[in-house]
Amino acid sequence: MAEIAGDLGTGRASVGAVLDFAWDAGVFTATDAMATTSLTRSTTIEAIDTLVSADILRELPNAREAGSYRSGRPARRFALSSELGVVVGVDAGDTHLAVTIADPLEHTLVHHRTDLDPGHSPDERRATILGRIGAALEETGTPRDEILAICVGVAAPVNRAGVSPPHPQGFWERTNPGLAAALERWAPVVEIKNDALLAAVAEGSDPRGGAIGCRDYVALLAGERFGGGVVVDGQLLHGAHGGVGEGVVFDHIIGVGSAFGLSHALHDRVREAVEEGEITRTSVVGRLADADRVDPRAVLALAASGDPDAALVTGRVGATLATIVGVLGSMYDPAKVIVCGAVAESVEPVLAAARGILPTQLHLPAPELLASALGAEVVSLGAVASARRAARERAVPRLAERRLAAR
């Protein structure tokens, strides 16, 4: 809210204070605002009236008209306007695309998830992302000039300008094909962020998140590739190029050897056990190896039901995960490591095996290892939460400033 006060002078600081209060207040009265902002009654009422005149706040029927009047003069009631605009959250993964249109407070208007062709060129991928955002806006009947903020999560490090560094095989440039520049005219605030960082945002902000109230944690995206969103002392860690938590480090760790995630690890361990004769090809797990790709959900479900072959595989993958979490624990000293993504829904057999090994992997106390409850939409939820925060802290204060200046 400092933008309002800073742009219009200290006389408008009260407007910023009341606007900040209104985001969390729901329906409120001037007395409610006074109690939180410590402003005088006359200053509070003046600030409220200023925001009402700018269509940032709306005045509701008073207590008598609302049916809750008891005695005395009925209080005026206010709430943040429901017509400020929308926010857009996008999860642009390597093989999927999810687009969410939401209001700036709590309601989702549209959410669509679809597959992406990983063979698309950067130009094709960018066009697809922009096209799907446009289609979702059209579905809600929202013109582009009503977007307050956009946040896109991508499977790449991203610097503070929304640009990914070059990758030896061009992967990062393809997963983030110039999205900051392509979207810069779509909204007052456009943010391109690493997907694991947004998973960390979701785990710390969603009511179902595993890190509510926790100041030190890692959200570990672990399905197709490993990547960590790191929070230390309540602050998201970013780095010069957005590379904090980048999974390529695991290419160099003995006992891991790859940044590929748990889905790949389960595939590889099943194939290896069959080839070594530890699992027969005619067993339930052995037959899974006949497919081009071992279904990780099938292996995890079998392990949960007590199948000994599946337990062998998940035990070995758990040892790999324990090594990964040990590295993260030694580097960042988190209280929790939360395994995120679609794999989290059934990953408990792997986590159970990892928990037994984890204390041997680091000298510090081992972090709590748990599965996310946010499923495949964890990055989408983080993107929407980040867009809402950008709307609150930057876009709506700017909107208020423009409307007040126009007056």
Side-chain angles (χ1 to χ4, degrees):
M1 304 311 121
E3 293 188 43
I4 293 178
D7 289 346
L8 293 180
T10 56
R12 294 298 194 195
S14 58
V15 176
V18 171
L19 177 54
D20 192 45
F21 164 78
W23 279 99
D24 297 320
V27 176
F28 66 93
T29 66
T31 300
D32 298 329
M34 286 170 54
T36 299
T37 62
S38 299
L39 299 171
T40 66
R41 184 170 188 82
S42 60
T43 301
T44 301
I45 292 172
E46 182 181 3
I48 289 172
D49 287 340
T50 297
L51 289 167
V52 169
S53 69
D55 296 324
I56 302 298
L57 297 181
R58 58 192 174 100
E59 185 166 1
L60 305 174
N62 65 35
R64 178 185 288 118
E65 294 169 338
S68 59
Y69 171 68
R70 296 179 184 270
S71 63
R73 183 177 180 179
R76 296 170 68 195
R77 301 159 65 246
F78 307 92
L80 202 66
S81 173
S82 59
E83 299 180 356
L84 294 175
V86 301
V87 299
V88 180
V90 180
D91 172 13
D94 184 30
T95 60
H96 67 268
L97 175 65
V99 176
T100 306
I101 312 296
D103 70 18
L105 287 173
E106 59 180 353
H107 295 109
T108 296
L109 307 178
V110 164
H111 174 77
H112 292 304
R113 186 180 180 93
T114 188
D115 292 335
L116 277 182
D117 184 348
H120 275 171
S121 69
D123 288 345
E124 291 171 323
R125 183 180 179 85
R126 183 173 56 252
T128 298
I129 293 170
L130 298 184
R132 296 293 171 82
I133 296 173
L137 288 169
E138 186 174 350
E139 184 175 340
T140 65
T142 305
R144 271 173 42 178
D145 61 7
E146 292 185 12
I147 302 174
L148 295 168
I150 299 174
C151 181
V152 184
V154 297
V158 184
N159 68 16
R160 293 175 179 83
V163 178
S164 295
H167 184 271
Q169 285 79 48
F171 178 76
W172 293 339
E173 298 94 315
R174 181 176 62 77
T175 54
N176 178 17
L179 293 176
L183 288 167
E184 65 178 346
R185 297 184 181 276
W186 284 57
V189 183
V190 175
E191 298 179 334
I192 315 299
K193 295 182 178 291
N194 172 258
D195 53 2
L197 185 148
L198 291 178
V201 170
E203 294 295 343
S205 61
D206 190 279
R208 300 167 295 158
I212 296 296
C214 183
R215 292 179 55 81
D216 302 279
Y217 65 93
V218 176
L220 180 65
L221 282 179
E224 293 299 316
R225 293 182 66 84
F226 291 116
V230 182
V231 175
V232 175
D233 295 333
Q235 300 296 317
L236 280 166
L237 301 190
H238 190 269
H241 308 97
V244 171
E246 170 56 34
V248 70
V249 65
F250 298 118
D251 289 342
H252 310 289
I253 302 297
I254 296 172
V256 181
S258 171
F260 289 109
L262 295 180
S263 295
H264 292 271
L266 287 163
H267 169 90
D268 292 343
R269 299 297 88 76
V270 168
R271 287 283 179 86
E272 289 171 1
V274 170
E275 291 170 2
E276 294 294 325
E278 296 173 292
I279 296 176
T280 65
R281 292 187 178 276
T282 57
S283 68
V284 177
V285 175
R287 288 195 295 271
L288 295 175
D290 292 336
D292 291 338
R293 181 84 177 154
V294 174
D295 183 352
R297 292 170 298 183
V299 178
L300 293 168
L302 287 166
S305 71
D307 183 278
D309 291 337
L312 172 70
V313 170
T314 54
R316 290 176 177 174
V317 174
T320 299
L321 180 61
T323 301
I324 290 168
V325 175
V327 171
L328 295 172
S330 296
M331 291 173 65
Y332 302 115
D333 190 19
K336 297 182 179 183
V337 173
I338 306 162
V339 175
C340 301
V343 71
E345 297 173 2
S346 53
V347 78
E348 184 56 34
V350 172
L351 301 190
R355 291 187 192 109
I357 302 169
L358 182 55
T360 67
Q361 300 298 303
L362 69 172
H363 291 169
L364 292 166
E368 180 184 0
L369 179 59
L370 64 155
S372 171
L374 303 181
E377 301 303 330
V378 63
V379 176
S380 288
L381 293 168
V384 172
S386 292
R388 282 179 168 145
R389 180 172 180 173
R392 174 174 179 161
E393 295 182 352
R394 298 160 65 187
V396 172
R398 292 176 190 175
L399 177 64
E401 164 63 20
R402 289 197 303 270
R403 290 178 178 178
L404 293 174
R407 293 175 56 227

